[in-house]
Amino acid sequence: MRVGVLTGGGDCPGLNAVIRAVVRKGVQEYGYEFTGFKDGWRGPLEGATVPLDIPAVRGILPRGGTVLGSSRTNPLKVENGIRRIKENLVKEEVDALIAIGGEDTLGVAARLSGEYGVACVGVPKTIDNDLSATDYTFGFDTAVNIATEAIDRLHTTAESHMRVLVVEVMGRHAGWIALHSGLAGGANVILIPEQRFDVDQVCSWVTSRFKSSYAPIVVVAEGAMPKDGDMVLKDQTQDSFGHVRLSGVGEWLAKEVERRTGKEARTTVLGHVQRGGTPSAFDRWLATRFGLHAIEAVRDGAYGSMVALRGTDIVRVPLAEATAKIKTVAPELYAEVGVFFG
């Protein structure tokens, strides 16, 4: 039995822990061989591989990123993409494929498995924590910790200068990072994509904070939108999955707050720093368990499934179900933290 492994989409802490667990258990307990595909779906599309065995995964548990490389390649948008993937899997003698990724990567895996007969098992990865079939994805905890530490540091400089500091975090359609890090970091305003915000209300909260002799911190997800405006885009360029580049809502909001309140405002965009570096202990733990259960799913022939966290258990769910919709912040959960605004 030869198993292929790929990591697609944005990188995040914990990817290497999954790869390590898959290979260690697959080799030691089942006697499987492994092929690593480079740079997401580009690997099986172009036949780009790297050796993947126990020596190759030694020492990678605490490393961020992915030793296999990643990309946003969408084989469904490439001419003869499916045929090329199937031919390269045969050429490399790969019997099953473990795809580690988020909504887009696993969406491709679901199509390959459901419509084209490719033996795929999925592992959920996204710092946005927006896959509905799993309670948590690895990478999210690390991203929240990084954002929270940044907010902690920004409090001191905000109060030294009595400025408004706007912190822009990742979150295209879901505000989980903003919600968790904003609450943990003591932010005075948290803005998420699920709830359009009123700039005048934001300014009111900012003014209220200054009245108590403290400087406000505003945490805003990159996909958050004002009630009377649209999503702020970096440019109109789309990737192969149809996503435009976000970033800019923080800078736009800081200018609006400064213009309307007369208070000096500055922006910090955390960007890719949220994705990088050493994974947290929780993300190493979760990613390792996902890897162990993913190779078990291959052994059992449970193709077309994704491993998921439900409570403290790892379960299998259909890939089609896992990618059908994204998990967003419920209005009542967002309302809970409103007591700290202003």
Side-chain angles (χ1 to χ4, degrees):
M1 181 78 167
R2 180 177 290 274
V3 181
V5 182
L6 66 82
T7 55
D11 68 295
C12 83
L15 285 166
N16 288 323
V18 180
I19 298 168
R20 170 181 175 269
V22 164
V23 172
R24 285 284 297 273
K25 184 165 186 172
V27 172
Q28 292 173 195
E29 295 197 11
Y30 308 142
Y32 293 167
E33 296 180 341
F34 290 87
T35 294
F37 286 104
K38 297 177 64 177
D39 303 333
W41 287 112
R42 187 182 72 81
L45 189 66
E46 300 179 1
T49 64
V50 294
L52 199 55
D53 53 18
I54 287 181
V57 300
R58 286 198 178 109
I60 68 172
L61 174 64
R63 289 175 57 182
T66 164
V67 295
L68 296 179
S70 190
S71 73
R72 295 193 182 276
T73 302
N74 183 356
L76 302 176
K77 297 290 183 69
V78 177
E79 185 176 358
N80 297 318
I82 303 302
R83 177 181 61 79
R84 289 166 58 185
I85 285 178
K86 297 181 75 170
E87 287 177 352
N88 283 321
L89 291 178
V90 171
K91 179 182 176 183
E92 297 294 333
E93 300 181 329
V94 170
D95 303 295
L97 186 63
I98 295 178
I100 310 167
E103 175 191 7
D104 296 325
T105 300
L106 296 183
V108 172
R111 292 280 303 275
L112 288 174
S113 178
E115 300 178 28
Y116 302 102
V118 178
C120 291
V121 169
V123 176
K125 172 257 11 160
T126 166
I127 67 169
D128 290 334
N129 197 41
D130 61 356
L131 285 171
S132 60
T134 184
D135 289 349
Y136 285 97
T137 55
F138 67 89
F140 172 68
D141 184 69
T142 304
V144 168
N145 286 339
I146 291 169
T148 301
E149 181 180 357
I151 295 167
D152 286 345
R153 292 174 180 273
L154 289 169
H155 272 292
T156 60
T157 189
E159 290 173 10
S160 295
H161 296 276
M162 292 305 288
R163 290 172 177 161
V164 183
L165 287 187
V166 178
V167 186
E168 183 183 304
V169 299
M170 285 186 169
R172 178 179 295 271
H173 300 298
W176 294 107
I177 294 176
L179 186 72
H180 281 240
S181 64
L183 183 60
N188 311 108
V189 182
I190 301 171
L191 306 175
I192 61 176
E194 294 88 340
Q195 302 281 337
R196 284 182 174 261
F197 62 88
D198 184 332
V199 180
D200 287 333
Q201 178 63 73
V202 172
C203 291
S204 176
W205 285 325
V206 164
T207 302
S208 174
R209 180 67 173 176
F210 276 117
K211 286 180 180 178
S212 62
S213 299
Y214 288 97
I217 299 287
V218 178
V219 174
V220 56
E222 62 186 353
M225 293 180 286
K227 285 184 176 180
D228 55 353
D230 298 317
M231 187 177 289
V232 180
L233 308 179
K234 200 173 189 68
D235 57 50
Q236 296 292 332
T237 305
Q238 296 185 358
D239 64 19
S240 60
F241 288 97
H243 299 311
V244 292
R245 294 177 64 194
L246 300 185
S247 186
V249 65
E251 188 67 31
W252 177 87
L253 181 60
K255 290 178 180 178
E256 284 295 307
V257 169
E258 185 168 306
R259 181 177 67 83
R260 299 186 189 200
T261 66
K263 300 293 185 180
E264 190 176 5
R266 294 287 186 273
T267 308
T268 298
V269 180
L270 296 184
H272 287 82
V273 72
Q274 296 159 91
R275 293 189 180 280
T278 300
S280 67
F282 178 82
D283 280 341
R284 297 185 204 189
W285 175 86
L286 180 58
T288 297
R289 292 191 69 201
F290 276 161
L292 296 175
H293 283 262
I295 197 63
E296 282 185 5
V298 170
R299 179 203 60 185
D300 296 342
Y303 304 125
S305 68
M306 183 193 82
V307 294
L309 180 68
R310 298 282 177 84
T312 58
D313 297 327
I314 305 295
V315 300
R316 298 171 189 169
V317 298
L319 270 170
E321 173 190 326
T323 57
K325 63 178 181 178
I326 63 172
K327 178 176 64 182
T328 55
V329 176
E332 56 270 25
L333 181 57
Y334 182 66
E336 282 183 6
V337 305
V339 66
F340 298 108
F341 293 179

